[in-house]
Amino acid sequence: MSLADYLTAVQAGFRALAEQSALAPAPLHLPAAAGAFHAKGAIFGGVRRYGVLKFNSNFPLNPRTSGLPTIQGVIVLCDADDGRLLAILDSQEITLRRTAAASVLAAGYLARAEATTLAICGCGEQGRAHLEAFAQAFALRRVYVWDLDADRARRFAQDMQAQLGLAVEAASTAAEAVRACDIAATCTTASAPFLGRDDVRPGTFIAAVGTDSAQKSELAPSLLADATIVADVLSQCALMGDLHQAIEAGVLSATDVHADLAELVAGRKLGRTRGDEITIFDSTGTAITDAASAALIYERAVARGVGSSIELADE
């Protein structure tokens, strides 16, 4: 699955939401001592309909304490007509790639076309996926990266510069990185905002992807109040995204949000309209992107004879 493949899937998912031909209810969040679990489900498809459930864990301390990845989980894909289990897929790669693809899709509507500089806040696997995706989608000339762990940021910069052949530099603060860039992606597990209004120059596009629960926050409410906001799913962002934090702070209401991404994909709303506009994609992660990606992967796997067949029950 290339970036183009994930973009195809993610765009199809958001279009289905706009056409009300898909269903993606609010996720279930289960807190644990050192992290959390969440379950996201959707019904999606065209000629063939799929029922999809993703069950993920998110344990931010794993890389340092156990060597395990932060995100682990599975996606269960079923036939939505008769309930048959069709496939079980590892969710880590899909979660990384569909999230980055959604950010790139949003950037196509909300970033300036001439953007050449990118900031990555959070140098984990999601930061890596976003850098790889944006490097394919935009003619980047320079990238700035930041992480609370300065050594991690330096290693990340060296690795990604060697991999992509781009100038990648570690910044000392998130503000330093973002002030220098046209596009920023925040991919952290922060529980308090680290970017304020004064840290973002006019015309910047921000993909805010780390705040996937009501306990997390990356962007200050004052920044959202002075920006054009597009949500992946408005009702979900109002409960758990950076939008949620701005609403709780009393500086915004859900009616202040410009659009859902599905409305941009369907052509019902415009994206960026001014060069100096600060635009924010509040990305909490919707099951429709998991479902559309899993469906495409399954169909390609069947066509190519890829994967292991397991009999779980009698027909």
Side-chain angles (χ1 to χ4, degrees), residues 169-278:
E169 180 179 334
S172 58
T173 66
E176 178 187 321
V178 174
R179 281 196 204 108
C181 293
D182 306 312
I183 297 172
T186 56
C187 307
T188 76
T189 58
S191 57
F194 55 84
L195 284 178
R197 174 62 188 87
D198 293 340
D199 301 326
V200 180
R201 67 189 187 186
T204 302
F205 163 70
I206 302 173
V209 305
T211 306
D212 58 357
S213 76
Q215 292 72 42
K216 294 181 180 180
S217 179
E218 295 184 310
L219 309 183
S222 59
L223 173 55
L224 275 82
D226 201 29
T228 298
I229 304 169
V230 170
D232 57 358
V233 178
L234 177 55
S235 58
Q236 189 168 294
C237 291
L239 293 175
M240 57 192 288
D242 277 303
L243 173 63
H244 165 74
Q245 305 298 346
I247 292 172
E248 287 289 298
V251 302
L252 282 176
S253 69
T255 57
D256 294 314
V257 173
H258 173 63
D260 279 338
L261 182 53
E263 293 179 291
L264 301 189
V265 170
R268 295 175 188 165
K269 296 278 185 74
L270 295 176
R272 172 181 292 275
T273 58
R274 303 190 321 272
D276 64 347
E277 197 174 5
I278 295 174

